[in-house]
Amino acid sequence: MITELVDITGDFPILKRQINGHRLVYLDSAATSQKPQSVIDRVVRYYETSNANVLRSVHTLAEESTVAMEEAREKIARFIHANSSREVIFTRGTTESLNTIARAWGDKFLEAGDEIVLSPMEHHSNLIPWQQLAKRVGAHLRFIDLNGDGTIAVDAVKKQINNRTRIVSLSAVSNVLGTINPIADVAKLAHEVGAVMVVDGAQSVPHQPTDVQKWDIDFLAFSGHKMLGPTGIGILWGREALLEAADPVIFGGEMIAYVDQDDATWAELPAKFEGGTPHIAGAIGLGAAVDYLSDIGMSRIEEHSRVLAEEAYRRLANLPGVVVYGPAYPRTSVVAFNIAGIHPHDVSQVLDAHGIAIRAGHHCAQPLMHWLDVGATARASFYLYNSDRDIDALVDAIEATKGYFKR
Ligand code: C6P
């Protein structure tokens, strides 16, 4: 290990698998992380012992189920330093969280001529909801100019923010460039003009300590499945006053206070935004994932993700014919690259033959592909169960890929 993190691969049953006769080298955690046994066991135990709908029935199982889900909410609130678990809304993931903010807050408070500031590195989930909001209300999108290496300078942000700005929405970590964006500085600029600061934390919350108070932001979206939790569960965090002021977007069971034939009033937070039966097992599983991450310590995980990404960048950038995107330093968790003359899908296929799982494509960031002037890239992404041994395997397999296509 090149970091102080001990080898925890034994906690992840899937990592025992052989793929095409090789040890599985899983370098696709930015798409979704693998799950430790403790998370898998927690979900199974829930279904085996306490399965019941939440917040409705008054029997023992329903009580246990509700308590377990609300305990998970409390853990997640502490994990991101929310003021209260009332600010923590369960969603399906980052995508649903961002769409909810755009609908719930954006539709209510934006008007024609207002502006939304984004960056060209945003994932489609942090772009299209704002495009659609802008179309609905007649607002305009503005984009921060990136530095040549894909980083964001605070001065470039200043140029796009003015007194018509109502929303600034930025990823904390890019899922392609691995850049770490200056969220606290941008939030300060947003607040100076009375705009709200939204953060796409899909790639940051799994890899670094998250403190919404220190960042001084207004909304945060992230996904459970990228941080060792189950798929289909994610979080929308918002400041209580903003969530109180916003309108619900999913109408139905459990999000109401009172209903008659013609109208309805809304439940208190967080229920107001959680219409319908939630993903109870997912929420409880995410709580177990937060326990696992917290036991290791997010600062150590941050260091580990940073060291692996920087080391992988350095080694790939030294390979002839390999182009690596984004800054050498500082970066975290993901390294996107291309091999001259070989399509990334072909790279991915040859790597798979060596047991190595990476992602290839536009990574749901087509505007960023245009900015990089490429159609697609290969991308290796690292997490707490990876080590320098996996970087060795990646480098060897890239050399083999080059040899294969030369033939
Ligand atoms: N990026 C990747 O391979 P969902 O799908 O809702 O859990 O997350 C969407 C999302 C939003 N923002 C960022 C920065 C992301 O990286 C992602 C998911 C995956 O890069 C799947 S496309």
Side-chain angles (χ1 to χ4, degrees):
M1 263 309 187
I2 49 176
T3 75
E4 61 162 57
L5 216 62
V6 294
D7 183 357
I8 40 115
T9 48
D11 294 347
F12 292 78
I14 206 168
L15 298 180
K16 294 187 183 72
R17 273 201 65 177
Q18 295 273 308
I19 301 286
N20 297 317
H22 297 269
R23 170 179 78 89
L24 166 62
V25 177
Y26 189 74
L27 299 180
D28 199 17
S29 296
T32 197
S33 72
Q34 295 303 346
K35 321 301 173 198
Q37 191 66 54
S38 61
V39 169
I40 299 167
D41 287 348
R42 186 65 190 94
V43 172
V44 170
R45 182 155 65 85
Y46 165 71
Y47 280 125
E48 284 179 349
T49 65
S50 307
N51 178 54
N53 212 328
V54 285
L55 303 165
R56 290 158 168 84
S57 315
V58 268
H59 52 74
T60 302
L61 295 184
E63 176 66 16
E64 284 176 12
S65 188
T66 303
V67 167
M69 189 177 90
E70 292 311 316
E71 277 175 2
R73 198 192 301 275
E74 294 281 350
K75 278 178 201 169
I76 294 158
R78 285 196 296 274
F79 189 68
I80 60 172
H81 295 88
N83 277 333
S84 129
S85 62
R86 288 162 52 83
E87 300 179 331
V88 174
I89 318 277
F90 288 122
T91 64
R92 285 193 300 134
T94 307
T95 304
E96 186 172 291
S97 301
L98 290 166
N99 275 274
T100 303
I101 302 164
R103 282 269 177 199
W105 197 86
D107 277 6
K108 188 161 179 187
F109 294 110
L110 260 68
E111 293 173 353
D114 286 345
E115 294 184 355
I116 301 165
V117 174
L118 307 169
S119 91
M121 73 174 76
E122 299 312 314
H123 186 280
H124 298 164
S125 296
N126 194 28
L127 170 62
I128 306 171
W130 307 119
Q131 289 175 346
Q132 294 297 311
L133 168 64
K135 283 183 189 162
R136 288 195 298 275
V137 303
H140 304 292
L141 303 184
R142 293 180 71 127
F143 291 89
I144 300 161
D145 283 331
L146 302 182
N147 293 328
D149 63 357
T151 52
I152 288 181
V154 176
D155 277 345
V157 182
K158 274 187 195 151
K159 287 196 184 126
Q160 302 306 329
I161 292 184
N162 60 53
N163 55 17
R164 288 186 302 276
T165 311
R166 298 307 314 275
I167 294 173
V168 180
S169 190
L170 209 58
S171 50
V173 167
S174 158
N175 69 322
V176 177
L177 301 168
T179 40
I180 305 157
N181 290 327
I183 295 299
D185 293 335
V186 179
K188 193 159 174 279
L189 293 175
H191 291 156
E192 276 168 16
V193 296
V196 296
M197 180 72 201
V198 180
V199 174
D200 172 351
Q203 300 294 349
S204 72
V205 176
H207 292 279
Q208 61 188 47
T210 303
D211 187 331
V212 293
Q213 314 302 341
K214 269 198 195 142
W215 265 345
D216 193 17
I217 60 173
D218 301 296
F219 293 105
L220 173 69
F222 58 101
S223 301
H225 69 97
K226 295 186 201 289
M227 49 187 288
L228 312 183
T231 50
I233 188 77
I235 300 296
L236 159 56
W237 167 84
R239 293 219 175 268
E240 191 161 337
L242 297 177
L243 291 172
E244 292 282 9
D247 286 337
V249 292
I250 302 283
F251 302 96
E254 289 305 322
M255 50 75 63
I256 53 86
Y258 177 77
V259 186
D260 66 21
Q261 282 201 0
D262 299 316
D263 213 350
T265 57
W266 315 136
E268 301 275 300
L269 291 172
K272 176 172 121 176
F273 290 104
E274 292 181 353
T277 300
H279 184 4
I280 306 161
I284 294 169
L286 179 54
V290 163
D291 285 341
Y292 185 93
L293 292 169
S294 304
D295 283 351
I296 292 178
M298 288 310 295
S299 298
R300 290 167 75 202
I301 294 170
E302 178 179 35
E303 165 78 2
H304 186 74
S305 296
R306 193 183 57 73
V307 169
L308 287 188
E310 287 171 3
E311 176 68 2
Y313 182 101
R314 191 184 64 74
R315 293 193 52 194
L316 265 54
N318 280 332
L319 297 177
V322 176
V323 180
V324 194
Y325 303 100
Y329 169 90
R331 65 161 48 236
T332 185
S333 53
V334 304
V335 179
F337 62 97
N338 268 313
I339 306 178
I342 313 176
H343 192 278
H345 281 151
D346 293 333
V347 174
S348 178
Q349 214 164 355
V350 180
L351 262 52
D352 184 57
H354 289 78
I356 302 176
I358 61 159
R359 185 174 171 190
H362 54 60
H363 312 294
C364 304
Q366 284 185 4
L368 181 60
M369 295 295 118
H370 299 152
W371 185 87
L372 291 170
D373 200 19
V374 295
T377 79
R379 183 191 68 186
S381 52
F382 300 90
Y383 206 9
L384 70 178
Y385 35 69
N386 294 119
S387 69
D388 42 332
R389 194 174 155 218
D390 299 333
I391 302 177
D392 293 342
L394 175 68
V395 169
D396 289 349
I398 288 175
E399 289 293 20
T401 309
K402 283 167 39 184
Y404 178 84
F405 280 94
K406 211 184 258 170
R407 281 208 311 273

